[in-house]
Amino acid sequence: MIHLMIFLPLLGSLLLFAVPPRWREEVAGFFAALTLGIGLLIWRGGGSELFSVPWVPALGITYSVALDGVSLTLALVTAFMSFVAVLYAARRVSNPGTMLSLVLAMETGLIGIFAARDLVLFYVFFEDALLPALLMLAIYGKPGRMRALVKFAAYTLFGSLLMLLSIIGVKYYGGSPTFALADLVQNPVTGTAQTWLYLGFLAAMAVKLPLWPMHAWLPDFHEQNHDSGVPDVMGTLYKVGGYGIFRFGLTLFPDASEALRPILMGLAAFTALYAAWIAFRQTDWKRLLAYAGLSHMGFVGLGVFSLNETATIGAMYLLAFQNVYTGALFLSVGMLQERIGSLSTRVGGVMTQAGALGGMTMALWFASIAVPGLAGFIGEFSVLLGAFQVQPWITAVATLSAIAAAAYALTAFQTTFWQGRPLGSVRVWDVRGTEWLVLGLPLAVAVFFGVYSAPALNLIQPAVRGVLATLGGQ
């Protein structure tokens, strides 16, 4: 079952090139829905146990996969938002076959990242998820996409090179027979070597999280991508850095994680506050959302680096559901652009003609700025509560970004939806057809897991305790 969930989207991606163009939307929707259904069956069955067989025995590489706890939560969210992205791309993008194929291919890479229990396999899926993102930007991007593409590729490839060196170093210095996580844990690297290898691994994850100063690719990536917001939805799913640090970083480099904890928590808090300040100055919706996402990832970093159980649970909760409401916000911005031909936050008066679009966008923003009763609140509150027990002053700095988030979100919303509509502006139509599902389904998830968090916490909590127990976390 787990192998179907990982590779079914890739099969669908390849089949799209073989079926007649008029059926491609239906085929893509079928594979995306089927992958989500399989994920729900795995969840109903209590997760998927470790499956491990030799892949390249001569090099010690195994095909080791499992879906439980945090990884199952993130895989389910990935499958859900990929289905939503397919729904919207089929309606919004002209000749969407290639776009749909890339979305499905990227879904396999992302689910594979969460399922991998072998460090080389993790690296392979990590790179597999990168290629569709590059192609979506190259094929569907705006006129300035080449500059964004070069910056994106330079950052990610540089990070990937450091991660590859760290992967080789972990096996070499630890003396593990394979790259399987279980074997690497049994043969740990110690001393100074562990610190240097952790720094190399951390640099790669910091690009994907992202953390300041490894974030510069992010605003251009979102700004230059297709107006629909579909590549941006997959981009929000791209934030696998937090998961990589949690699953492999803390487990393989426990001493270095504890030694560098204050520095890394400070860096994460600065990222959260810095990004929130920059977001306040943006007048382009996509750049604003990019910096808002960066600020939220600062919270994720703060939680993971604290090595505190409550904060780490909050970080994983935030990592999962931030993808839902931020992804839906990118799609609502795509709908706005389709109606008024602009991504400016200063258009004014949209609410008077598109009340449902304005209302659903506002509710998604409330989830993003952690209003109680919505999913964002559970994650951010847990991170702050746990991190405060470890580093109260650093946490106090990060808390300021929560206030700044309310300021930039409500200001942009007010100038777009409430402010007076300029005379002679085009008439804006309201939400219709599948758009109700595209925004309504993520909003329902944000509300449900804001009110009833137990199903997700029951998955996340044991996994976090298991990881922190290996390093004596608080």
Side-chain angles (χ1 to χ4, degrees):
M1 192 78 80
I2 183 175
H3 315 302
L4 271 178
M5 188 178 184
I6 296 172
F7 294 108
L8 200 60
L10 183 61
L11 176 63
S13 170
L14 297 174
L15 276 179
L16 284 188
F17 293 106
V19 300
R22 65 178 183 278
W23 292 347
R24 286 176 180 168
E25 290 91 336
E26 289 78 6
V27 171
F30 171 75
F31 276 94
L34 189 58
T35 303
L36 177 59
I38 291 171
L40 291 172
L41 286 176
I42 292 175
W43 171 65
R44 285 285 304 273
S48 178
E49 297 295 326
L50 177 66
F51 175 88
S52 182
V53 294
W55 180 20
V56 187
L59 299 178
I61 303 172
T62 66
Y63 175 75
S64 301
V65 291
L67 277 175
D68 55 5
V70 173
S71 59
L72 179 55
T73 307
L74 291 170
L76 281 170
V77 168
T78 299
F80 173 72
M81 288 308 294
S82 297
F83 174 66
V84 171
V86 166
L87 271 183
Y88 191 53
R91 193 203 70 78
R92 175 72 161 80
V93 180
S94 302
N95 299 316
T98 304
M99 173 79 82
L100 294 171
S101 177
L102 292 173
V103 167
L104 290 174
M106 193 167 177
E107 184 180 0
T108 282
L110 291 165
I111 295 175
I113 286 172
F114 301 133
R117 295 294 184 272
D118 180 286
L119 208 45
V120 173
L121 187 65
F122 175 79
Y123 179 80
V124 170
F125 282 122
F126 199 76
E127 295 300 303
D128 283 349
L130 171 64
L131 292 176
L134 286 168
L135 289 173
M136 273 193 271
L137 180 60
I139 297 171
Y140 293 97
K142 295 177 184 174
R145 62 183 180 275
M146 286 313 297
R147 181 173 174 272
L149 189 66
V150 170
K151 190 183 287 187
F152 179 44
Y155 271 86
T156 52
L157 293 177
F158 173 71
S160 296
L161 176 62
L162 290 178
M163 183 167 68
L164 186 59
L165 292 174
S166 295
I167 289 172
I168 295 170
V170 167
K171 183 176 182 296
Y172 177 78
Y173 288 109
S176 171
T178 72
F179 287 97
L181 183 59
D183 287 336
L184 294 173
V185 170
Q186 292 297 319
N187 299 274
V189 180
T190 57
T192 307
Q194 185 185 119
T195 303
W196 284 108
L197 292 173
Y198 182 48
L199 288 174
F201 187 81
L202 195 61
M205 295 298 107
V207 171
K208 293 295 189 298
L209 192 53
L211 282 179
W212 183 91
M214 311 296 277
H215 69 288
W217 61 271
L218 185 70
D220 292 341
F221 172 82
H222 286 302
E223 183 185 33
Q224 294 300 322
N225 248 317
H226 191 262
D227 286 332
S228 66
V230 172
D232 305 296
V233 171
M234 302 312 290
T236 63
L237 300 173
Y238 210 65
K239 295 178 176 64
V240 297
Y243 174 78
I245 294 169
F246 166 77
R247 175 64 65 187
F248 293 98
L250 301 188
T251 307
L252 298 177
F253 313 104
D255 297 335
S257 298
E258 295 206 41
L260 296 173
R261 173 163 56 177
I263 298 172
L264 295 176
M265 287 183 70
L267 185 63
F270 176 78
T271 300
L273 189 58
Y274 162 82
W277 169 251
I278 301 296
F280 187 74
R281 301 167 56 189
Q282 301 304 311
T283 57
D284 180 286
W285 269 108
K286 281 200 172 184
R287 291 187 73 87
L288 190 154
L289 283 170
Y291 281 108
L294 178 62
S295 181
H296 288 123
M297 289 305 105
F299 270 90
V300 171
L302 184 71
V304 174
F305 294 137
S306 73
L307 308 182
N308 175 276
E309 181 183 319
T310 304
T312 308
I313 290 171
M316 293 299 107
Y317 201 91
L318 189 60
L319 196 64
F321 294 105
Q322 192 265 350
N323 285 328
V324 175
Y325 44 77
T326 300
L329 278 171
F330 272 111
L331 296 180
S332 77
V333 167
M335 293 175 193
L336 191 66
Q337 193 280 335
E338 184 183 18
R339 286 157 170 78
I340 63 177
S342 169
L343 289 170
S344 171
T345 61
R346 308 288 172 79
V347 293
V350 174
M351 181 68 90
T352 58
Q353 297 170 347
L357 177 61
M360 295 171 90
T361 302
M362 183 169 63
L364 290 166
W365 264 121
F366 283 164
S368 177
I369 62 175
V371 169
L374 296 163
F377 175 76
I378 305 290
E380 287 200 13
F381 184 74
S382 300
V383 167
L384 293 175
L385 185 65
F388 190 82
Q389 299 171 31
V390 181
Q391 292 285 345
W393 287 108
I394 291 176
T395 307
V397 171
T399 306
L400 296 175
S401 67
I403 301 169
Y408 67 68
L410 297 179
T411 300
F413 185 85
Q414 192 269 336
T415 55
T416 300
F417 288 91
W418 286 116
Q419 203 162 267
R421 189 95 177 117
L423 293 173
S425 300
V426 296
R427 181 162 184 80
V428 177
W429 68 90
D430 210 346
V431 178
R432 59 191 183 189
T434 54
E435 291 177 342
W436 285 101
L437 290 175
V438 169
L439 295 185
L441 290 175
L443 182 58
V445 169
V447 172
F448 180 82
F449 285 99
V451 176
Y452 184 53
S453 57
L457 289 178
N458 289 341
L459 287 174
I460 293 172
Q461 195 171 43
V464 169
R465 284 178 175 169
V467 168
L468 295 185
T470 63
L471 46 79
Q474 299 172 22

